Amino acid sequence: KSVTVEKVIWTVSDIKGSLTIKGVKKPFKSVIDVSSGDPHKAGMPPISFIRQVMAVCLYPELLKEKSLPLDVRQRAQKLLDMCSGGSVGSYSTTSSGLPQVQKSISEFITRRDGGVPSHPEDIMLTTGLQKSLSVFLNLLTSGEGKTQTGVLTPMPCPHTLPMLLDMTGLALVPYRLFEEQGWAVNLDELHRALEAGRVHCEPKAIYISNPGNPTGYVQDRETIEKVIHFAATNGLIILAEEVHQDSVYGQDKEFISYKKVLSEMGTTYAEKMELVSFQSISTAHIGEGGLRGGYMEVINIDPAVKKYLTVASSASVLPQLALELSINPPRPEDSSYNSYTQVRGLSYGNNAKRACEFLNRVEGMSCQPSMAGLFLYPRVHLPPHMVEEAKRLGVKADVLYCQRLLREEGICVGPGCENGQEDKNYHIRLCILTPPSTLEEILARLRSFHHRLLEKLA
Amino acid sequence: KSVTVEKVIWTVSDIKGSLTIKGVKKPFKSVIDVSSGDPHKAGMPPISFIRQVMAVCLYPELLKEKSLPLDVRQRAQKLLDMCSGGSVGSYSTTSSGLPQVQKSISEFITRRDGGVPSHPEDIMLTTGLQKSLSVFLNLLTSGEGKTQTGVLTPMPCPHTLPMLLDMTGLALVPYRLFEEQGWAVNLDELHRALEAGRVHCEPKAIYISNPGNPTGYVQDRETIEKVIHFAATNGLIILAEEVHQDSVYGQDKEFISYKKVLSEMGTTYAEKMELVSFQSISTAHIGEGGLRGGYMEVINIDPAVKKYLTVASSASVLPQLALELSINPPRPEDSSYNSYTQVRGLSYGNNAKRACEFLNRVEGMSCQPSMAGLFLYPRVHLPPHMVEEAKRLGVKADVLYCQRLLREEGICVGPGCENGQEDKNYHIRLCILTPPSTLEEILARLRSFHHRLLEKLA
């Protein structure tokens, strides 16, 4: 298999590279990087309870430390009992995870889906979304030219996905999400995309991001049913990235899992349709990206493939414990309950609404209201002089916009081309899970930059 | 690519499965599992300093905790300063690791190799040996039948390797290590193996385990030079698994890295020969398997492949910090110095010698002296009645031996067939990095079982 990384676009690091001009005094005090979903980097505090319990697990002498809440120490003891030799330094009992954590997760999913059963042996603990996706995508890779495996991929899509598909040797078959429909999935477009894809490859899977990254769109049951029907009819495996399931804040919106809908569509679907749901501790409300953990639930997947996935997961222990804590948080009677729920209640909903309203008032910007997740994905109107300059410099215009924004205001956002978009409209991506004061700073600097840009035109 | 996991032999889990017979009272108090290199599972304490610093990094409130040594808190602050947003919950600045950790590792390697320079950009932090190997092996995969990529692999080899090669779709081309030569690499055998391999596949890489897993053999400079020459002549990439480099205890033995020898063989080799060295925090003296961390040093690797590896590594933050601590341990003036060096000084050397002497005195057993690492790999003489019974049951005789040992004595060791060996001589694999009293218990139960087995024969 040849490595096809030539096409890899490292736009954000290119942008960051542009900061290193020596001897030039910057007009801002500090760089704020909200180009990826990395809330701690932008100053969001971690959830103390989770960090406390993990600290005790790492250094069990702290079990005696009275300054730590009792429920923290009790939970730590419980988690240590799950580990071989009572140590987080031992391997998981099985490569797919600690059995008790697999069980907890399947119970959580069963509760989440209103009783639709989930089985521990279908839960594979992983070292994060990127790793689990790449393991699974590797299994799909085959063929060359017209026989190359294709993956139907939403446009815009998560900004790490195009590179991952490319690196794995899979063909990206784009299906557009329509901005004027709030970035909803459109069935006609799916059919068009599939036909178009079949001309140059063999589409075998469809990638779903729900709640949508970076769009924040939450799919309703009807849409999900139609997508499943479409996938079933056309022999596509569903890869459902559902990492933002616990951060839905849109009014009257709720997260419905593909698994739940599938199981309610009758045995033809429930017992045959291949589905993998991906979850992560990086982008959910805990936001522990640095820990690199997550899980897959695999439905109707061939036993040999399952065995392979079991071996290939090799999850580390600490992120599994963090997952266990996040799905079984402190209860009202526990001393950490208040602090835990305060942090959970914070920020993304309010921040998203505030930022969206703000951006829609800036001339030359518009933003679809987001219903979930950590990102906003506003459209930015670029003046012709910038588009022309970009052409002259041989960079994409949205990349140039982001480079300038970073250089002039110290704000790092992601260009829409990283999310796979290549149409006439330009977009930027920003993570809104920051402390509220930081968000205000970001918005003010962004507006100031954008106004200057438009003035230049006038 | 089709998944070829049918051949996967899960012998240890099969053996463990045999423990679940209900209602039968076991003649032992507890099971001791030394089948893999997982010292914490067998009761080895972790290194307090490393655990303390990581605990503080996870929960920085502990920076104020006076009961923790001052140097622990100072180091934790230093490590937190390396993390984006001062949090271990942020992603590494680059996907290949925290730049300061890459720098520390390259400085460590330069020191280790007596000044042969190592470059931070050649260091890729990983989520452990298995993951980094599988990422790299995936890149080598191509062809089918006679064009399938082959990897020259020592026999015996690390027990996780045959499955990994199989899962990745690579052909295993065995080269034997000779027990009577203390498990040394034999150049004639390499030539024979390569010729034999070329009949059914295209060998493109050679896997080296030095110090040898499970043999404990340490290669000398002359051997390494010859292997490099052999690989260069035949266009093979060298995959040097050097995870036991810091646990050499054999008299007058020292670890010499392939990188060092390569760089001293002149520019033809130093600037052309493709070499990847793999390191891990699981099996070295820290033994933090549950953390899943490690690094690769990549030499003369194509820039596109390097870029791919950079992206594919996705190392988590905590294991990187553990690595940083282990290569820059406390200094004599630090308060944690004594406890750190005590733990480091412990066990494997003494244990290996003790166990080797013990086993060589047991009738029907013989063991080559080990010079490094965590394993012993003794030969066990199986009486004909057991070989015949195994044949009747359709299991391998060494597997049956291990099953019986576990069932009758509660000791779990690994059968040599897992290490890829398929000759007339049977072997078992055991990890000797346990508390000394546990080791005595293991040896006593093993001898008692083996004696009973031989008596049955008589």
Side-chain angles (χ1 to χ4, degrees):
Chain A
K1 191 185 350 174
S2 70
V3 188
T4 59
V5 277
E6 291 77 11
K7 277 192 290 165
V8 171
I9 318 155
W10 264 119
T11 43
V12 170
S13 47
D14 290 349
I15 292 166
K16 286 176 190 160
S18 71
L19 257 188
T20 54
I21 310 151
K22 282 166 199 159
V24 180
K25 210 186 161 198
K26 301 288 173 314
F28 46 84
K29 269 184 292 185
S30 66
V31 172
I32 308 174
D33 182 354
V34 285
S35 60
S36 59
D38 194 349
H40 293 179
K41 190 194 268 176
M44 281 299 286
I47 298 180
S48 284
F49 175 73
I50 292 179
R51 291 297 192 86
Q52 288 169 327
V53 176
M54 284 198 291
V56 179
C57 288
L58 265 172
Y59 187 54
E61 283 290 309
L62 294 171
L63 284 167
K64 298 176 228 151
E65 183 54 56
K66 293 273 159 61
S67 66
L68 290 168
L70 182 64
D71 63 333
V72 162
R73 289 176 282 140
Q74 285 170 337
R75 282 299 285 276
Q77 184 59 66
K78 231 170 138 181
L79 297 185
L80 283 171
D81 293 343
M82 295 180 184
C83 301
S84 303
S87 170
V88 297
S90 322
Y91 294 101
S92 300
T93 326
T94 67
S95 188
S96 53
L98 297 165
Q100 295 92 327
V101 176
Q102 290 175 296
K103 188 164 167 284
S104 280
I105 293 172
S106 66
E107 287 166 358
F108 159 76
I109 292 175
T110 306
R111 287 198 303 275
R112 181 197 71 188
D113 290 348
V116 174
S118 166
H119 308 288
E121 65 273 21
D122 292 338
I123 308 297
M124 318 268 164
L125 276 299
T126 70
T127 44
L129 175 64
Q130 298 310 313
K131 272 285 161 71
S132 52
L133 260 176
S134 91
V135 165
F136 203 89
L137 292 175
N138 251 313
L139 288 174
L140 292 175
T141 308
S142 76
E144 273 177 75
K146 286 196 171 184
T147 65
Q148 188 188 13
T149 300
V151 178
L152 268 82
T153 306
M155 291 289 120
C157 67
H159 69 280
T160 45
L161 188 59
M163 185 165 60
L164 195 60
L165 292 173
D166 185 33
M167 285 187 350
T168 324
L170 292 163
L172 190 159
V173 180
Y175 64 92
R176 284 165 296 174
L177 307 172
F178 294 102
E179 189 165 14
E180 52 278 21
Q181 295 162 21
W183 302 112
V185 178
N186 177 306
L187 263 287
D188 291 339
E189 169 62 8
L190 283 186
H191 285 285
R192 184 209 61 76
L194 183 64
E195 288 318 307
R198 280 178 175 159
V199 174
H200 62 88
C201 69
E202 287 184 14
K204 286 184 190 156
I206 177 168
Y207 188 96
I208 298 288
S209 178
N210 180 47
N213 172 353
T215 64
Y217 183 81
V218 178
Q219 297 181 16
D220 59 18
R221 172 182 297 269
E222 202 192 330
T223 303
I224 297 174
E225 265 180 27
K226 282 183 186 159
V227 172
I228 293 174
H229 186 261
F230 166 81
T233 313
N234 294 290
L236 304 172
I237 298 178
I238 298 178
L239 308 175
E241 173 256 280
E242 304 181 315
V243 303
H244 289 300
Q245 59 184 267
D246 59 1
S247 55
V248 176
Y249 47 75
Q251 212 176 353
D252 304 325
K253 296 294 166 189
E254 60 163 340
F255 168 74
I256 306 169
S257 75
Y258 266 71
K259 158 93 180 298
K260 181 174 204 274
V261 177
L262 181 67
S263 74
E264 291 167 355
M265 283 172 73
T267 48
T268 328
Y269 293 95
E271 291 173 7
K272 285 208 181 128
M273 191 63 212
E274 292 170 292
L275 167 70
V276 186
S277 166
F278 297 88
Q279 177 59 300
S280 159
I281 56 168
S282 306
T283 42
H285 66 278
I286 0 180
E288 294 282 5
L291 287 179
R292 303 267 178 188
Y295 63 84
M296 295 184 261
E297 185 182 27
V298 299
I299 308 297
N300 297 324
I301 296 294
D302 184 86
V305 173
K306 248 173 101 169
K307 197 162 189 175
Y308 173 86
L309 292 174
T310 306
V311 176
S313 327
S314 308
S316 39
V317 171
L318 284 172
Q320 295 186 55
L321 304 185
L323 261 171
E324 167 69 35
L325 293 169
S326 73
I327 58 178
N328 289 309
R331 296 173 187 191
E333 62 271 27
D334 297 330
S335 46
S336 303
Y337 180 75
N338 282 337
S339 69
Y340 192 91
T341 43
Q342 270 163 29
V343 175
R344 287 193 62 160
L346 263 183
S347 302
Y348 31 85
N350 295 340
N351 278 9
K353 273 170 216 159
R354 161 71 186 148
C356 191
E357 282 165 20
F358 184 101
L359 295 173
N360 275 319
R361 283 199 306 267
V362 176
E363 197 195 325
M365 282 204 184
S366 62
C367 188
Q368 291 292 325
S370 160
M371 310 167 188
L374 312 180
F375 291 112
L376 281 191
Y377 193 64
R379 190 198 288 192
V380 289
H381 172 75
L382 301 192
H385 69 82
M386 178 165 251
V387 177
E388 279 155 30
E389 191 184 347
K391 212 174 273 169
R392 215 165 47 240
L393 294 169
V395 295
K396 290 184 179 170
D398 51 358
V399 173
L400 183 62
Y401 182 93
C402 295
Q403 285 177 335
R404 291 283 157 83
L405 173 63
L406 178 58
R407 210 178 288 177
E408 296 180 21
E409 297 284 350
I411 300 294
C412 182
V413 301
C417 63
E418 278 193 332
N419 296 80
Q421 267 204 307
E422 304 231 28
D423 57 14
K424 285 277 151 67
N425 300 319
Y426 298 104
H427 294 82
I428 56 173
R429 172 188 75 247
L430 64 158
C431 170
I432 46 75
L433 188 47
T434 68
S437 60
T438 309
L439 184 67
E440 292 306 321
E441 181 78 28
I442 294 165
L443 295 174
R445 294 199 211 170
L446 180 56
R447 177 175 57 189
S448 145
F449 168 77
H450 198 75
H451 277 172
R452 274 204 309 281
L453 194 71
L454 296 189
E455 274 162 25
K456 232 187 226 173
L457 174 73
Chain B
K1 190 181 358 172
S2 71
V3 188
T4 57
V5 279
E6 292 77 11
K7 277 192 288 166
V8 171
I9 318 155
W10 264 121
T11 43
V12 169
S13 48
D14 290 350
I15 292 165
K16 287 175 189 161
S18 71
L19 257 187
T20 54
I21 311 150
K22 282 166 198 159
V24 179
K25 208 183 162 203
K26 302 289 173 313
F28 46 84
K29 270 185 291 184
S30 66
V31 172
I32 307 175
D33 182 355
V34 285
S35 60
S36 58
D38 195 350
H40 293 178
K41 190 193 267 176
M44 281 300 285
I47 298 179
S48 283
F49 175 73
I50 292 179
R51 292 298 191 85
Q52 287 169 328
V53 176
M54 284 198 290
V56 178
C57 289
L58 265 171
Y59 186 54
E61 282 290 309
L62 294 172
L63 284 167
K64 298 176 229 153
E65 184 54 57
K66 295 271 159 59
S67 66
L68 289 168
L70 181 65
D71 64 332
V72 162
R73 291 178 280 140
Q74 284 170 337
R75 282 300 283 275
Q77 185 60 64
K78 230 169 139 180
L79 297 185
L80 284 171
D81 292 342
M82 296 180 184
C83 302
S84 304
S87 170
V88 297
S90 322
Y91 294 102
S92 299
T93 325
T94 68
S95 189
S96 52
L98 297 166
Q100 293 93 328
V101 177
Q102 290 175 294
K103 187 164 168 283
S104 280
I105 293 172
S106 66
E107 287 165 357
F108 159 77
I109 292 175
T110 306
R111 286 197 304 275
R112 181 197 71 189
D113 289 348
V116 174
S118 166
H119 307 287
E121 64 273 21
D122 293 338
I123 308 297
M124 318 266 163
L125 277 299
T126 69
T127 45
L129 176 65
Q130 298 311 311
K131 273 286 161 72
S132 52
L133 260 177
S134 91
V135 165
F136 203 90
L137 293 174
N138 252 312
L139 288 175
L140 293 175
T141 309
S142 76
E144 273 177 75
K146 286 196 172 183
T147 66
Q148 188 188 12
T149 300
V151 178
L152 268 83
T153 306
M155 291 288 120
C157 67
H159 68 281
T160 45
L161 189 58
M163 184 164 62
L164 195 60
L165 291 173
D166 186 33
M167 287 189 347
T168 324
L170 292 165
L172 190 159
V173 180
Y175 65 91
R176 283 165 296 174
L177 307 172
F178 294 102
E179 190 165 13
E180 52 278 19
Q181 295 162 20
W183 302 112
V185 178
N186 178 305
L187 263 288
D188 291 339
E189 169 62 10
L190 283 185
H191 285 285
R192 184 211 60 76
L194 182 64
E195 288 317 308
R198 280 180 174 157
V199 175
H200 63 88
C201 69
E202 288 183 14
K204 287 185 190 155
I206 177 167
Y207 188 96
I208 299 289
S209 179
N210 180 46
N213 171 353
T215 64
Y217 183 81
V218 178
Q219 297 180 16
D220 58 19
R221 173 181 296 270
E222 201 192 332
T223 304
I224 297 174
E225 263 179 28
K226 283 183 186 159
V227 172
I228 292 174
H229 186 261
F230 167 81
T233 313
N234 294 290
L236 304 172
I237 297 178
I238 298 179
L239 308 175
E241 173 256 279
E242 305 181 313
V243 304
H244 290 301
Q245 59 184 266
D246 58 359
S247 53
V248 177
Y249 46 76
Q251 212 175 353
D252 304 325
K253 296 292 167 190
E254 60 165 338
F255 167 73
I256 306 170
S257 76
Y258 267 71
K259 157 92 179 297
K260 180 173 203 274
V261 177
L262 182 67
S263 73
E264 292 166 354
M265 282 172 73
T267 47
T268 328
Y269 294 95
E271 291 172 7
K272 286 208 180 128
M273 191 64 212
E274 293 170 293
L275 166 69
V276 187
S277 166
F278 296 89
Q279 177 60 300
S280 159
I281 55 168
S282 306
T283 43
H285 66 277
I286 4 181
E288 294 282 5
L291 287 180
R292 303 266 180 192
Y295 63 84
M296 296 185 260
E297 185 182 26
V298 299
I299 308 296
N300 298 324
I301 296 294
D302 184 86
V305 173
K306 247 174 101 170
K307 198 162 189 176
Y308 174 87
L309 292 173
T310 306
V311 177
S313 325
S314 308
S316 39
V317 171
L318 284 172
Q320 295 186 56
L321 304 186
L323 261 171
E324 165 69 35
L325 293 169
S326 72
I327 58 178
N328 289 309
R331 296 173 187 191
E333 63 271 26
D334 298 330
S335 46
S336 303
Y337 180 75
N338 282 338
S339 69
Y340 192 92
T341 43
Q342 268 163 31
V343 174
R344 288 194 62 160
L346 262 183
S347 301
Y348 33 83
N350 295 340
N351 277 9
K353 274 169 216 159
R354 162 71 185 148
C356 190
E357 282 164 22
F358 184 102
L359 295 173
N360 275 319
R361 285 198 304 268
V362 175
E363 196 195 329
M365 280 204 187
S366 62
C367 188
Q368 292 292 324
S370 160
M371 311 167 187
L374 312 179
F375 292 111
L376 281 190
Y377 193 65
R379 190 196 288 192
V380 290
H381 172 74
L382 302 192
H385 69 81
M386 179 164 250
V387 178
E388 280 156 28
E389 190 184 348
K391 211 174 273 172
R392 214 165 49 244
L393 294 169
V395 295
K396 291 183 177 169
D398 51 358
V399 173
L400 183 63
Y401 182 93
C402 295
Q403 287 177 334
R404 289 284 156 82
L405 173 62
L406 178 60
R407 210 179 287 177
E408 295 181 22
E409 297 284 350
I411 300 293
C412 182
V413 300
C417 64
E418 279 193 330
N419 297 80
Q421 267 204 306
E422 303 232 28
D423 59 15
K424 286 277 150 65
N425 300 319
Y426 298 104
H427 293 83
I428 57 172
R429 172 187 75 248
L430 64 158
C431 170
I432 47 76
L433 188 47
T434 69
S437 60
T438 309
L439 184 68
E440 291 306 320
E441 182 77 29
I442 294 165
L443 294 173
R445 293 199 212 169
L446 180 55
R447 176 174 58 189
S448 143
F449 168 78
H450 199 76
H451 279 171
R452 275 204 310 282
L453 195 70
L454 297 187
E455 274 161 24
K456 233 186 224 170
L457 175 73

